[in-house]
Amino acid sequence: MKSCFGKRGKKCLTLTMAMLLVFMVGCSKGNVNPLDGYQYERELNVIDDNNRTYYEVFVYSYYDSNGDGIGDINGITQKLDYIQDLGFNGIWLMPVMPSPTYHKYDTTDYCDIDSEYGTMEDFKQFLEECHKRDIHVIIDFMMNHTSAKHKWFKEAYSYLEGLGKEEISVEKCPYVEYYHFVKEEDAGANYYQIGNSEWYYEGSFWDQMPDLDLYAEVVRGELEQAAKFWIDLGVDGFRIDGVKYFDTSDERNIEILGWFNDYVKSIKKDAYIVSEVWTDYALASEYLKSGVDSTFDFTMGQATGTIASSVFTSKKDAGKKLAEAIINVQETTKKANPDSTVAEFLTNHDTGRCANFLVKSEKIKMAYALEILMTGNVFVYYGEEIGLSGSGKDENLRAPMYWSNTDNTGMTNGPADMDKEDYIFPSLAEQKDDAASIYNFIKRCIRIRNENPEIARGEVAIIDEVEDESICALTKTYEDSKLVLLYNISKETKTVTISKDSYGYKNIQGYLSTDGTEVTLKGEEVTLPPYSIVILK
């Protein structure tokens, strides 16, 4: 593999013929020439900005480097070449701070690494190795609540439990300002009693996750110190958890998010911040007014979202509806904040996995092709690249990565309360050698995204001339370059005519076919097999 650096700091890689064949989707089909697609491989053209392709990792279940059955930071470091080879240039780490729970969304220390995951030196080495590979790292930042075992809360709880009829004294216990403490008559839903006292505290998620008072200046100061700690270490940004639960209204939540964003950008101008606002995108996009770079698009993602629904049902108007949805996301984002972008995903640690709700490999492949070719930032949950299964309770959604069916090296035990669930698709070791696997397909999807900067950054427009409503027909324009993208979201082969004069393309730039059948262009006629995508330029 020969590396080079082109204009504007763009990285590119020139692949040998042998390496190109690894990416071919159709080579396992008896009626398809393995060489048919190689001519469409292009040099990588990855721009160093915040429009990245992220891999979400639950450290606990990913790769175990020391044999204790729990994934760790060193395990991820050992797998960075794998992550880079897939094409990801960003990693989102689920919580790594000390916590009494397996999921670690309730921290006891904002400025350390959980000992189950390793040491701070391990984390520094991990960051160094990521940055050598031009992989940015964002970490989960849980500012809505702490653990009930955090020093702040334990001291406040103990003080209020023994307070009796005395007045609260901040001088005696400064931590009473850190949380939402009220007397019984003011306690509402999700409030929990402190021992047998008259005092209650708020815990939106659980009694072991007491909510912080994010309007308290002292709390903001603590969180600013924590954010600076991680930025100074080399972290490239944050995923902000549970934003809708910060306070009592969206307006107040947006103000709080804006404060945090402004502070982080004041110490690292190019830090990337993505917020979790679990609601429809019309409302979630309002949170972009805070100045954050992205917010997750729950309307497009999940089992009931636009992408999965389009592929699962394959209705005759699926292409048209998807095109309209993509345009709506673009316009909604621009209206909220033209400097922001969208964060697209299909599944994450709180949702069922694609293997369980789409089931068939061709539908899983097509859904990921649609997601990965979206504008903005895209996020892929670990294990989705091999069709890892998981449904039901949270522990099941965070099952061990299935590295091999014959070698247990690095395999984790997963959460203790996880139900046993059989793998639907083969291990990574098996899928690597199968050109028609989900793994090789998703790898090819990411490569196409990395070859064409227009995909992540382009202004989207619908090609109205395509009347077949099962075809999603779009252009993406970035600077002085335009791509034509045609998506066949149906079980039938389709032929589409696209004017070269009108849309300025010359040839096929790349294609994705879920069954390996070639996409062809003859003159202005494009033939798309079932569940396939072609890019023209």
Side-chain angles (χ1 to χ4, degrees):
M1 182 179 291
K2 176 184 177 184
S3 65
C4 59
F5 292 86
K7 295 179 181 178
R8 300 167 58 203
K10 297 179 182 178
K11 286 190 173 181
C12 59
L13 297 174
T14 304
L15 300 178
T16 63
M17 174 81 73
M19 295 185 74
L20 290 172
L21 297 182
V22 174
F23 296 103
M24 292 304 98
V25 176
C27 62
S28 67
K29 293 284 179 178
N31 62 341
V32 177
N33 185 336
L35 297 178
D36 277 347
Y38 96 90
Q39 62 185 303
Y40 301 122
E41 292 291 345
R42 311 290 176 179
E43 288 185 342
L44 295 179
N45 192 359
V46 182
I47 297 176
D48 185 14
D49 63 9
N50 269 342
N51 292 284
R52 290 180 175 260
T53 310
Y54 281 91
Y55 191 54
E56 180 193 355
V57 180
F58 179 42
V59 182
Y60 196 93
S61 293
Y62 196 62
Y63 194 85
D64 173 20
S65 72
N66 59 11
D68 65 357
I70 296 174
D72 45 54
I73 298 296
N74 286 337
I76 306 176
T77 303
Q78 291 176 23
K79 287 298 177 182
L80 285 179
D81 287 344
Y82 165 75
I83 295 170
Q84 182 184 34
D85 185 56
L86 266 168
F88 293 104
N89 60 354
I91 294 174
W92 157 23
L93 291 183
M94 288 172 63
V96 295
M97 301 168 194
S99 168
T101 61
Y102 84 93
H103 54 72
K104 308 195 188 306
Y105 273 100
D106 48 342
T107 189
T108 57
D109 187 344
Y110 277 100
C111 298
D112 203 356
I113 294 288
D114 193 289
S115 59
E116 286 187 322
Y117 287 175
T119 67
M120 191 58 71
E121 289 306 311
D122 295 336
F123 189 77
K124 290 177 182 177
Q125 180 66 25
F126 164 73
L127 288 177
E128 182 179 339
E129 291 299 322
C130 284
H131 292 155
K132 283 181 183 177
R133 295 165 173 80
D134 193 32
I135 296 173
H136 282 198
V137 177
I138 64 173
I139 63 170
D140 247 311
F141 199 83
M142 299 75 64
M143 51 192 274
N144 179 71
H145 53 259
T146 68
S147 167
K149 293 180 173 59
H150 196 293
K151 172 188 173 181
W152 303 340
F153 186 74
K154 287 199 301 182
E155 292 202 15
Y157 188 105
S158 178
Y159 170 73
L160 290 172
E161 188 176 28
L163 188 60
K165 298 300 181 181
E166 293 180 38
E167 292 294 320
I168 286 181
S169 170
V170 175
E171 291 182 358
K172 291 182 179 179
C173 184
Y175 300 120
V176 293
E177 288 192 303
Y178 282 46
Y179 300 89
H180 295 287
F181 294 117
V182 298
K183 291 189 176 180
E184 182 176 4
E185 58 267 24
D186 296 318
N190 302 318
Y191 273 78
Y192 302 91
Q193 188 174 10
I194 295 177
N196 293 318
S197 76
E198 62 182 350
W199 291 97
Y200 285 69
Y201 67 92
E202 184 180 19
S204 298
F205 291 98
W206 183 35
D207 68 346
Q208 293 300 297
M209 290 180 172
D211 287 8
L212 289 166
D213 181 354
L214 295 174
Y215 273 101
E217 289 301 319
V218 64
V219 172
R220 291 192 176 194
E222 295 275 15
L223 295 174
E224 287 176 355
Q225 288 181 38
K228 187 175 189 304
F229 172 83
W230 293 104
I231 293 293
D232 288 348
L233 274 180
V235 163
D236 299 288
F238 302 101
R239 179 261 187 186
I240 310 300
D241 178 62
V243 176
K244 266 191 72 66
Y245 300 90
F246 283 173
D247 211 280
T248 55
S249 69
D250 293 312
E251 290 74 19
R252 289 170 72 87
N253 295 338
I254 291 168
E255 189 281 326
I256 292 167
L257 191 61
W259 146 70
F260 185 77
N261 176 78
D262 290 348
Y263 175 75
V264 171
K265 300 295 175 62
S266 75
I267 58 174
K268 182 176 171 59
K269 186 177 180 180
D270 62 347
Y272 173 68
I273 296 179
V274 56
S275 63
E276 181 212 24
V277 186
W278 197 327
T279 185
D280 65 275
Y281 192 65
L283 175 56
S285 66
E286 290 293 300
Y287 282 70
L288 296 174
K289 293 177 180 178
S290 66
V292 296
D293 301 277
S294 302
T295 191
F296 285 105
D297 182 2
F298 282 86
T299 303
M300 197 68 75
Q302 309 179 85
T304 57
T306 302
I307 292 176
S309 298
S310 298
V311 175
F312 185 77
T313 60
S314 298
K315 291 182 179 178
K316 290 184 178 181
D317 63 350
K320 178 185 177 184
K321 295 294 186 184
L322 177 64
E324 291 171 348
I326 291 171
I327 291 293
N328 182 61
V329 168
Q330 175 178 269
E331 297 309 309
T332 301
T333 303
K334 285 197 298 185
K335 181 180 177 182
N337 184 348
D339 295 324
S340 296
T341 186
V342 67
E344 299 288 7
F345 74 102
L346 263 176
T347 70
N348 65 23
H349 60 280
D350 288 324
T351 71
R353 288 186 176 274
C354 272
N356 294 84
F357 61 78
L358 290 177
V359 182
K360 295 182 179 180
S361 63
E362 67 269 20
K363 293 194 173 185
I364 295 170
K365 289 176 181 179
M366 189 63 185
Y368 266 102
L370 295 178
E371 190 241 335
I372 291 168
L373 298 187
M374 288 285 181
T375 303
N377 295 279
V378 299
F379 289 76
V380 177
Y381 190 33
Y382 81 96
E384 290 293 290
E385 73 270 26
I386 59 169
L388 192 65
S389 53
S391 62
K393 61 185 181 182
D394 286 349
E395 290 85 351
N396 299 348
L397 313 178
R398 303 157 191 178
M401 175 63 178
Y402 189 23
W403 296 105
S404 172
N405 62 325
T406 59
D407 183 359
N408 287 330
T409 302
M411 288 289 291
T412 66
N413 296 332
D417 293 333
M418 179 184 68
D419 295 329
K420 186 181 184 306
E421 185 166 359
D422 293 331
Y423 295 110
I424 299 173
F425 295 100
S427 69
L428 172 67
E430 298 165 276
Q431 290 199 34
K432 273 191 168 183
D433 295 329
D434 178 4
S437 67
I438 294 172
Y439 165 80
N440 278 307
F441 185 87
I442 287 182
K443 184 175 180 179
R444 173 76 178 133
C445 291
I446 298 171
R447 180 172 180 87
I448 285 181
R449 180 177 174 88
N450 288 339
E451 290 171 354
N452 300 282
E454 302 93 337
I455 290 174
R457 300 162 186 83
E459 178 86 6
V460 184
I462 294 177
I463 300 176
D464 293 319
E465 289 84 343
V466 176
E467 296 181 355
D468 188 331
E469 294 187 347
S470 64
I471 301 294
C472 175
L474 305 170
T475 61
K476 287 195 177 187
T477 305
Y478 173 63
E479 295 183 341
D480 58 353
S481 180
K482 178 184 286 187
L483 298 180
V484 173
L485 295 94
L486 304 174
Y487 308 71
N488 180 11
I489 313 175
S490 77
K491 302 174 184 178
E492 302 174 1
T493 297
K494 298 284 185 176
T495 299
V496 180
T497 300
I498 299 290
S499 167
K500 288 185 175 180
D501 287 340
S502 298
Y503 295 99
Y505 71 93
K506 295 181 180 179
N507 210 332
I508 291 177
Q509 178 78 356
Y511 73 82
L512 296 158
S513 170
T514 60
D515 70 355
T517 304
E518 186 178 8
V519 176
T520 61
L521 173 66
K522 293 183 180 179
E524 296 183 339
E525 280 193 350
V526 184
T527 300
L528 293 144
Y531 297 126
S532 66
I533 298 173
V534 67
I535 299 170
L536 309 174
K537 186 175 182 179

